[in-house]
C-alpha cells in the first residue's frame, strides 16, 4: 500500500511516497536524502511522540507543565493525556519530579518540567 | 524629583532568554555590578509559557521544554549571584543610559548605568494591525495570549477554534488546544507557504487532521458579544480575496499567529536608531547600537527562529558590553551594508571599518529559493559564498565572512541570494 507523508528532517519538506505492507516499508521515493527514507520507515512502522501536557495543582488555579521522559507510541498520546487529566499534584514540585510512573505501561515516566511552590 | 537612584556598571532590560544569557556572559567576563530588570513576576520570559519540547538542541545538546531551558539559565544567574528584580518595568531610558523603572516593592527607581543591554524581546502583531472587519467581540486572541491563558493560568479560551496565520506559535497552539479538549477546525494562511517549521506542520496539524489552507484569509468576523464564526476566502496572487470562494466556519475562538514585532519603545526613547527592515535597533558586528554603551540582542533586535540562537547572540552582547566597560575603544566610523537580492532583515546592518573578528550575517530570505547561493560582495569582490539546498522566509539564513577578507577589500558591502539551478 502506498502511503504519503512529509519529511520533517529539514525545511525542504520532501513529499515522500512509501510502499508499506503493514509491517515493513519496502520502498521510499520522493526523498532528497537519506534522512527522508529513515523518517518514512520510523514514522510508518513505529511512530512516536513526546507528550508535553498540563496537570492540576492542588490549591492553585495554575497548572503544572509536564512531559514524557521519552517519546511514546503515537497511538497512545490521547490515552496519556487522559491519564494525566486524572492527576492532581500537591506542591511543592521540582523539575524532574516523577508525576506519573510508567504511564500506560510504556515504561516511560511523566515528569515535571517546572518548579511550583515552596 | 527626589527618587531612589541606583548606580550599576551594566543594566540588562529584560529577564527572558536574551537577558539571562547576556547577564551570565557579562558576569563571566568580569562585570560584577550588574542588574537584570524583568517586568513579569518571574525570570524566563516567553519560555515560561512554551511548555512544548524542542528547545536547547544547540545549547545543551538535548531537547528541553521552554521552562526547563529557562531554568538552566536562571540557575546559572543565581549561581553567579547576579542581582535581578522581577515585577520591575522600565518606563524610560535616556541616551545617557539613565533608566527609570517602577516596581510594586520599590516604587519608582532610577538606574544610572555604565552600559545597557536591550533584551526586551518582541510582541505579537495584534488584530488591529490586520484590518479585519467585524465587531470587537470576545473570542479573538493572539496565539501567544491563548498560550499564556492555557499554560500559565489554566484557562481555556474556547472550544471551536480557527487559527489565522501559520507561524510556529499558532501551530503549537493548534496542538495544545486539541490536547486541552478543543476542536481546531482550520489553520488559514494567506501566503502560499507557511512561515512555521515543517516539523510543527506535521506534528501539530497533520497528526490531528487539522487542515492548513494556503492562499486563504479571514474576510469577515461574526458575532457581537462573543465570536460566532468567521468567513474565510481564497486570495489571488495579490492577496485579494476571490469573490465566490467565501465559506463560513462556525467557531467561538479565533487565534492570530500573524507575526512578531520587536518591542523597541525604550530603544527609541534612548535615541537608538531602528531599522525598518528588522523592526529592531541598527547594530554593528559587536551588537552595539548607534548610542555609545547601548547594546541589543535577542528578539528585540530581530525575531529569531530558535532560542538557542538568541542565547548565543545575547552571550556575545554580554561580552561586548563588558569590553566597553573595561574601556576598550568602540568602533569609529561604521559602514552601512546593502541587503541585496532576496535578502531582508539583515543583521548586522552596519559594520566597523576594521572588524576585529569573523562576522556572521543573518537574514531572512525574501522567498523560497531552491539550490541557492548566498554571497557577500564588496566593491565587486566576493568575500564569501555559500550554497544552500533550500532557503525559506521561515528560516533565518546566515553566512560568515572571515576577518582578513575585510582587510583586503574596499567599497560597499552587499549580501545577496540567487538561485543557481540544480
Amino acid at each position: 500500500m502506498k502511503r504519503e507523508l512529509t519529511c520533517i528532517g529539514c525545511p525542504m519538506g520532501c513529499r515522500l511516497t512509501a510502499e508499506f505492507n503493514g509491517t515493513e516499508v519496502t520502498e521510499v521515493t520522493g526523498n532528497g536524502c537519506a534522512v527522508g527514507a529513515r523518517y518514512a520507515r520510523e514514522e510508518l512502522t513505529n511512530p512516536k511522540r513526546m507528550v508535553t501536557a498540563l496537570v492540576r495543582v492542588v490549591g492553585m488555579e495554575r497548572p503544572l507543565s509536564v512531559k514524557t521522559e521519552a517519546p511514546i507510541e503515537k497511538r497512545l498520546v490521547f490515552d496519556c493525556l487522559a491519564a494525566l487529566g486524572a492527576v492532581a499534584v500537591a506542591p511543592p514540585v521540582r523539575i524532574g519530579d516523577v508525576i506519573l510512573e510508567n504511564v500506560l505501561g510504556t515504561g516511560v515516566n511523566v515528569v515535571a518540567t517546572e518548579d511550583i511552590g515552596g | 524629583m527626589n527618587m531612589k537612584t541606583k548606580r550599576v556598571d551594566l543594566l540588562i532590560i529584560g529577564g527572558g532568554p536574551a537577558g539571562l544569557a547576556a547577564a551570565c556572559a557579562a558576569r563571566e567576563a568580569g562585570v560584577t555590578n550588574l542588574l537584570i530588570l524583568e517586568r513579569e513576576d518571574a525570570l524566563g520570559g516567553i519560555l515560561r509559557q512554551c511548555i512544548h519540547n524542542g528547545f536547547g538542541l544547540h545549547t545543551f545538546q538535548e531537547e528541553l521544554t521552554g521552562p526547563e531551558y529557562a531554568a538552566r539559565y536562571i540557575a546559572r544567574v543565581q549561581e553567579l549571584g547576579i542581582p535581578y528584580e522581577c515585577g520591575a518595568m522600565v518606563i524610560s531610558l535616556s541616551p545617557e543610559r539613565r533608566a527609570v523603572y517602577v516596581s510594586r516593592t520599590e516604587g519608582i527607581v532610577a538606574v544610572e548605568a555604565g552600559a545597557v543591554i536591550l533584551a526586551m524581546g518582541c510582541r505579537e502583531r495584534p488584530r488591529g494591525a490586520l484590518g479585519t472587519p467585524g465587531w470587537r467581540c470576545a473570542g479573538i486572541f493572539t496565539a501567544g495570549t491563548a498560550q499564556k491563558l492555557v499554560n500559565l493560568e489554566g484557562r481555556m479560551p474556547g472550544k471551536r477554534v480557527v487559527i489565522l496565520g501559520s507561524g510556529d506559535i499558532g501551530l503549537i497552539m493548534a496542538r495544545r488546544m486539541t490536547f486541552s479538549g478543543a476542536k481546531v477546525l482550520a489553520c488559514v494562511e494567506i501566503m502560499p507557504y507557511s512561515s512555521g517549521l515543517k516539523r510543527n506542520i506535521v506534528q501539530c496539524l497533520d497528526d490531528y487532521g487539522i487542515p492548513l489552507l494556503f492562499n486563504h484569509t479571514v474576510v469577515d468576523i461574526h458575532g457581537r458579544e462573543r465570536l460566532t464564526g468567521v468567513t474565510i476566502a481564497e486570495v489571488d496572487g495579490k492577496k485579494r480575496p476571490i469573490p465566490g470562494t467565501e465559506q463560513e466556519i462556525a467557531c467561538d475562538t479565533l487565534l492570530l499567529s500573524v507575526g512578531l514585532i520587536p518591542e523597541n519603545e525604550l530603544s527609541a526613547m534612548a535615541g537608538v536608531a531602528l531599522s525598518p527592515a528588522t523592526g529592531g535597533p541598527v547594530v554593528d558586528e559587536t551588537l552595539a547600537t548607534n548610542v555609545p554603551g547601548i547594546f541589543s540582542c535577542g528578539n528585540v533586535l530581530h525575531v529569531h527562529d530558535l532560542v538557542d540562537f538568541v542565547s548565543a547572540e545575547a552571550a556575545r552582547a554580554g561580552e561586548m558590553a563588558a569590553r566597553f566597560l573595561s574601556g576598550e575603544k568602540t568602533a569609529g566610523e561604521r559602514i552601512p551594508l546593502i541587503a541585496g537580492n532576496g535578502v531582508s532583515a539583515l543583521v548586522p546592518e552596519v559594520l566597523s571599518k576594521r572588524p576585529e573578528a569573523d562576522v556572521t550575517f543573518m537574514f531572512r530570505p525574501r522567498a523560497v529559493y531552491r539550490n541557492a547561493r548566498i554571497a557577500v560582495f564588496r566593491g565587486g569582490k566576493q568575500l564569501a559564498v555559500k550554497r544552500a539546498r533550500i532557503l525559506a522566509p521561515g528560516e533565518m539564513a546566515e553566512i560568515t565572512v572571515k576577518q582578513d577578507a575585510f582587510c583586503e577589500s574596499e567599497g560597499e558591502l552587499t549580501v545577496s541570494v540567487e538561485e543557481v539551478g540544480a
Side-chain angles (χ1 to χ4, degrees):
Chain A
M1 185 176 57
K2 285 210 186 307
R3 297 280 293 270
E4 300 269 335
L5 57 169
T6 308
C7 181
I8 62 166
C10 83
M12 279 303 259
C14 292
R15 291 293 301 168
L16 309 176
T17 305
E19 192 60 48
F20 182 57
N21 63 18
T23 51
E24 222 183 353
V25 174
T26 53
E27 195 197 5
V28 180
T29 54
N31 54 314
C33 71
V35 173
R38 194 164 64 232
Y39 172 74
R41 289 206 162 81
E42 279 175 15
E43 187 62 16
L44 290 174
T45 56
N46 187 24
K48 289 188 164 184
R49 296 288 185 270
M50 285 283 292
V51 179
T52 62
L54 296 156
V55 297
R56 272 191 290 278
V57 181
V58 177
M60 286 190 187
E61 254 184 59
R62 64 153 305 175
L64 170 77
S65 63
V66 300
K67 70 173 183 183
T68 52
E69 270 184 312
I72 62 168
E73 282 179 62
K74 187 180 161 189
R75 64 180 180 85
L76 295 176
V77 166
F78 282 96
D79 292 340
C80 176
L81 291 167
L84 289 169
V87 171
V89 295
V93 178
R94 291 283 158 263
I95 284 188
D97 285 358
V98 175
I99 300 302
L100 191 57
E101 225 169 279
N102 184 18
V103 63
L104 306 169
T106 53
V108 174
N109 293 330
V110 176
V111 297
T113 57
E114 63 182 331
D115 295 342
I116 279 193
Chain B
M1 185 165 56
N2 193 8
M3 81 175 73
K4 181 175 159 187
T5 301
K6 297 180 179 181
R7 278 182 188 82
V8 297
D9 289 335
L10 175 61
L11 173 66
I12 294 157
I13 305 177
L20 294 170
C24 292
R27 180 67 193 80
E28 281 161 359
V31 181
T32 51
N33 182 14
L34 71 175
L35 174 65
I36 305 172
L37 294 177
E38 165 57 48
R39 72 179 167 194
E40 292 281 323
D41 292 332
L43 294 175
I46 201 68
L47 288 171
R48 295 175 61 224
Q49 68 187 58
C50 297
I51 65 162
H52 55 284
N53 61 307
F55 303 92
L57 277 170
H58 294 263
T59 310
F60 300 112
Q61 285 76 51
E62 58 181 304
E63 209 172 311
L64 303 171
T65 65
E68 291 174 307
Y69 187 99
R72 300 230 175 156
Y73 275 94
I74 294 167
R76 186 75 186 131
V77 161
Q78 286 164 345
E79 248 170 60
L80 291 168
I82 297 171
Y84 60 88
E85 290 293 339
C86 291
M89 178 151 160
V90 177
I91 54 170
S92 76
L93 180 66
S94 79
E96 295 75 31
R97 302 184 298 272
R98 184 176 193 270
V100 175
Y101 72 90
V102 289
S103 135
R104 212 170 286 163
T105 51
E106 296 179 282
I108 303 175
V109 185
V111 184
E112 284 165 5
V116 173
I117 295 179
L118 305 170
M120 294 89 78
C122 60
R123 58 171 172 247
E124 296 175 281
R125 181 164 288 138
R127 177 186 176 184
L130 296 178
T132 42
W135 290 94
R136 292 320 191 226
C137 50
I140 303 172
F141 305 87
T142 59
T145 300
Q147 188 178 45
K148 185 175 186 180
L149 288 170
V150 174
N151 294 351
L152 291 184
E153 296 178 13
R155 298 169 198 278
M156 269 300 274
K159 292 181 180 142
R160 288 174 60 83
V161 184
V162 170
I163 298 175
L164 175 60
S166 62
D168 283 310
I169 312 172
L171 300 176
I172 291 289
M173 279 314 290
R175 177 173 61 186
R176 181 61 56 206
M177 294 297 283
T178 305
F179 276 14
S180 302
K183 174 79 184 157
V184 180
L185 302 157
C187 181
V188 180
E189 171 61 62
I190 196 167
M191 301 300 286
Y193 53 82
S194 169
S195 63
L197 297 171
K198 275 284 173 328
R199 180 194 176 90
N200 285 338
I201 292 170
V202 170
Q203 297 197 344
C204 300
L205 299 182
D206 297 356
D207 269 8
Y208 309 104
I210 300 165
L212 173 53
L213 304 171
F214 290 122
N215 299 310
H216 278 71
T217 192
V218 169
V219 292
D220 207 357
I221 287 172
H222 311 287
R224 189 146 181 176
E225 297 300 322
R226 174 81 195 194
L227 184 69
T228 57
V230 296
T231 302
I232 64 168
E234 200 175 335
V235 298
D236 63 17
K238 290 180 176 158
K239 301 196 191 98
R240 290 174 307 206
I242 302 171
T245 62
E246 298 88 356
Q247 48 176 313
E248 195 174 328
I249 305 178
C251 61
D252 59 20
T253 306
L254 177 66
L255 299 188
L256 305 176
S257 178
V258 290
L260 300 168
I261 307 163
E263 196 166 347
N264 276 293
E265 284 72 14
L266 291 172
S267 319
M269 259 188 232
V272 168
L274 299 177
S275 157
T278 59
V282 174
V283 295
D284 64 17
E285 76 281 8
T286 70
L287 299 163
T289 68
N290 61 309
V291 181
I294 301 187
F295 297 79
S296 170
C297 58
N299 280 355
V300 78
L301 175 58
H302 56 149
V303 177
H304 293 64
D305 303 327
L306 292 183
V307 70
D308 301 71
F309 299 160
V310 167
S311 299
E313 182 178 271
R316 222 151 48 75
E319 287 162 28
M320 294 301 158
R323 282 177 53 177
F324 173 82
L325 288 166
S326 69
E328 268 190 52
K329 208 159 60 70
T330 45
E333 199 186 333
R334 307 201 300 178
I335 308 159
L337 295 168
I338 297 169
N341 181 56
V343 172
S344 73
L346 182 63
V347 174
E349 254 180 301
V350 294
L351 203 65
S352 328
K353 217 150 189 197
R354 290 272 172 265
E356 288 176 18
D358 299 350
V359 177
T360 297
F361 297 97
M362 289 178 279
F363 65 90
R364 293 215 174 254
R366 286 194 184 276
V368 176
Y369 297 93
R370 282 167 209 282
N371 294 309
R373 186 165 64 192
I374 309 170
V376 182
F377 286 97
R378 186 176 208 179
K381 192 181 164 200
Q382 186 175 288
L383 304 191
V385 66
K386 180 177 165 182
R387 292 287 291 263
R389 277 186 66 211
I390 183 151
L391 294 174
E395 293 237 344
M396 207 186 271
E398 58 168 57
I399 183 166
T400 301
V401 178
K402 294 273 175 212
Q403 187 200 353
D404 44 9
F406 292 111
C407 306
E408 296 157 6
S409 59
E410 288 291 334
E412 277 185 340
L413 261 153
T414 307
V415 183
S416 63
V417 171
E418 55 183 303
E419 246 166 16
V420 288

